[in-house]
Amino acid sequence: MKLSEINGENANVELKVKILSLSRRETTTSKGETVYYYGLLGDETGVIPYTAWEFPAPIKAGDVVQIKYARSRIYNDRIRLYFDSKTEVLLKPGEDIEVKRTYKETKLMDLSLKNPFVTVTGKISNMSGKEYNKAGNTFTIYNGFIEDDTSRVRISSFGQALENGRIYRMVGARVSEFNKQLELSIGDKTEVIPEDEDMDFERYYKLFEVDNPAGGITILGFIITLGTKSGIIKRCSECNKPLANGVCPDHPDKPTKLDIFTYFTLDDGTKYIQCIAGKKAIMPFLGIKDEDLPRVAGDIYRMLEDKLYGHAVRVNADFIKSEEDLSLRVNFIAGITKEDIDKDIKVSQ
Ligand SMILES: [Zn+2]
C-alpha cells in the first residue's frame, strides 16, 4: 500500500515509509502517566502525521521502516496513522525513500510554528535584495513582505528574486520566528509559482479575533490611556539604540538623532491592547516633520495628549508577541472616518 491510497478509516494498514520526524511526549490519562510518540512519515506519494503509543526504541528520524497492522483515521480533517501494541515496525537498514512532500494550504493569519512547512498564496511588497559573500561565492538574500486577505508577514528569499506587486503561490515555504513575529522563508526546495490575478486587501479585525502575531492589521478603537513617558527620545545615529544619557557607549563620537516614542492603550470594545508607535506613525498624525522635532520637543507630550488621549482612531499595526499576550506596533494612525465605520460594521456582521 502507498500513503496516497489511504482514504479514511482502515484497521490494517501495511506500508513501507520513511520516518521524517519523531517527538516524544508524556501525558496523564485515566490509566496514569504514559508516553507517546508523534511526527510525520512519508513515502513516494505523500506525507502524513502519525501517533504511536508503542514504538521500537532504536528507530529515529530518517529511518525507513516496514509497518504492519497500523490503523488510519481522520483527525482534524487530515488522515493520521496510529501505532499501538499490535503494530509491527521493522527497521530497513540502508534503505531510502524519495519522499513526496505535501504542504497544507494556509492563510497567513493561521501560520504557526507547529506546521513549519506550508503552501501560501499572497502578494509581495517592499522586496529588496542584499548581496552576501561566502567562501568566494556571491549570493543574494531578498527581504520583504507577503500579504493575503488575513495578514501580512515578513518573507525572505534565498537567491530567488520576487516581483513587488505580484501574486505568488509558494509550495513548501518555511515558517519561523523573528523579532517576536512569524516570518516565512523560501529556499531552493520551495516551489514558487507566479499567478496572474491581482488582490487588494483590507484587513479590518476586532482585537478578540487575533491570537497570532499577524501584520498589517487595521483596528478601530479608543485610546484609553497614554503612557506618561511618551515623548522625544534620543537615539544613536549609528546603531539606533535609545540613549538614556545622550551618549552611545559604543559610538560616543557619532551624532544623536531625535525620535518619538509613544505608548498607549487601545480599546475596541472587545478587548484592550498595549500599543507602541514611533515617529513614522506619529509625525504625520501630529502634522509635524523631522526638522520640527527640536522645536516642538518640549511641547510633544501635550500634543500627544491632545490628539491621542480619549480619541477614536484607526490604526494599522503589526501584532507582536509580548511576554504572555500580544501587543501592537503601530505603522500608521489616523482619525476615524465615516468610511471606516461602514467597513467596521460590515466586518462585525
Ligand atoms: Zn551606537
Side-chain angles (χ1 to χ4, degrees):
M1 205 172 182
K2 294 287 175 200
L3 284 174
S4 61
E5 296 168 64
I6 305 176
N7 48 20
E9 286 213 15
N10 191 323
N12 197 1
V13 177
E14 190 173 334
L15 293 160
K16 187 154 89 174
V17 295
K18 186 170 180 172
I19 303 294
L20 300 174
S21 63
L22 171 62
S23 302
R24 181 182 189 275
R25 188 172 286 172
E26 283 168 33
T27 184
T28 312
T29 66
S30 54
K31 291 172 200 155
E33 294 269 309
T34 48
V35 171
Y36 69 95
Y37 302 87
Y38 62 96
L40 295 172
L41 51 78
D43 69 7
E44 300 86 344
T45 67
V47 174
I48 66 168
Y50 68 90
T51 300
W53 296 99
E54 304 254 339
F55 213 68
I59 287 171
K60 56 187 191 311
D63 284 343
V64 170
V65 292
Q66 182 78 43
I67 297 167
K68 273 186 186 173
Y69 312 116
R71 281 182 306 119
S72 64
R73 262 200 288 168
I74 306 228
Y75 177 75
N76 270 350
D77 292 334
R78 222 180 151 181
I79 288 173
R80 197 174 183 98
L81 209 59
Y82 293 85
F83 303 172
D84 58 24
S85 55
K86 289 195 291 285
T87 309
E88 287 176 16
V89 181
L90 186 66
L91 183 62
K92 297 293 216 179
E95 290 195 31
D96 199 9
I97 293 177
E98 187 75 35
V99 171
K100 181 178 178 242
R101 300 252 178 191
T102 50
Y103 306 103
K104 198 173 171 209
E105 196 88 37
T106 307
K107 288 286 190 185
L108 297 176
M109 178 62 93
D110 299 325
L111 293 179
S112 156
L113 292 173
K114 285 184 199 151
N115 288 312
F117 290 93
V118 291
T119 295
V120 295
T121 302
K123 189 173 186 171
I124 297 297
S125 59
N126 290 80
M127 198 93 182
S128 63
K130 203 172 170 190
E131 279 193 359
Y132 291 87
N133 235 301
K134 198 179 173 187
N137 294 316
T138 306
F139 59 93
T140 310
I141 292 180
Y142 297 89
N143 281 294
F145 290 95
I146 180 168
E147 58 185 314
D148 67 8
D149 55 342
T150 67
S151 181
R152 180 179 66 199
V153 301
R154 264 179 201 286
I155 186 165
S156 64
S157 165
F158 189 89
Q160 185 167 188
L162 300 171
E163 201 182 312
N164 283 316
R166 185 106 205 234
I167 310 273
Y168 292 90
R169 185 176 143 81
M170 299 165 184
V171 182
R174 194 166 74 89
V175 185
S176 57
E177 196 177 294
F178 176 74
N179 201 8
K180 300 178 184 174
Q181 292 192 286
L182 295 177
E183 178 183 76
L184 281 172
S185 53
I186 60 175
D188 48 8
K189 285 188 180 141
T190 316
E191 194 186 345
V192 178
I193 309 146
E195 306 261 294
D196 284 331
E197 57 180 315
D198 197 9
M199 305 176 172
D200 270 313
F201 311 109
E202 279 178 329
R203 294 174 292 260
Y204 280 78
Y205 280 92
K206 292 290 185 187
L207 285 172
F208 84 99
E209 296 174 304
V210 181
D211 57 5
N212 215 355
I217 303 296
T218 299
I219 303 278
L220 305 181
F222 278 97
I223 296 179
I224 57 169
T225 70
L226 174 65
T228 52
K229 291 199 173 120
S230 298
I232 299 278
I233 56 164
K234 278 187 182 165
R235 288 186 188 275
C236 170
S237 61
E238 184 75 13
C239 65
N240 215 32
K241 229 182 269 162
L243 308 173
N245 52 12
V247 183
C248 179
D250 302 322
H251 313 96
D253 304 332
K254 296 286 175 186
T256 59
K257 57 181 186 181
L258 298 180
D259 192 5
I260 300 177
F261 177 73
T262 311
Y263 62 107
F264 55 85
T265 311
L266 187 72
D267 188 335
D268 78 342
T270 70
K271 212 178 154 181
Y272 61 86
I273 194 164
Q274 299 305 318
C275 304
I276 54 169
K279 67 177 185 182
K280 254 195 200 152
I282 291 295
M283 284 200 310
F285 187 55
L286 297 183
I288 56 175
K289 295 198 166 64
D290 251 323
E291 56 265 32
D292 303 326
L293 281 181
R295 185 172 50 79
V296 301
D299 212 18
I300 202 90
Y301 186 78
R302 193 198 54 75
M303 292 170 81
L304 291 170
E305 209 173 18
D306 202 38
K307 292 275 273 184
L308 292 174
Y309 181 61
H311 287 276
V313 292
R314 164 168 51 99
V315 301
N316 184 278
D318 298 335
F319 284 78
I320 54 174
K321 285 189 183 176
S322 296
E323 274 146 41
E324 51 206 75
D325 212 345
L326 293 167
S327 62
L328 281 184
R329 196 187 282 144
V330 176
N331 304 315
F332 176 84
I333 180 165
I336 285 186
T337 62
K338 168 136 196 332
E339 200 184 42
D340 291 323
I341 293 168
D342 292 344
K343 274 175 194 152
D344 191 49
I345 290 168
K346 224 186 279 165
V347 170
S348 313
Q349 279 165 354

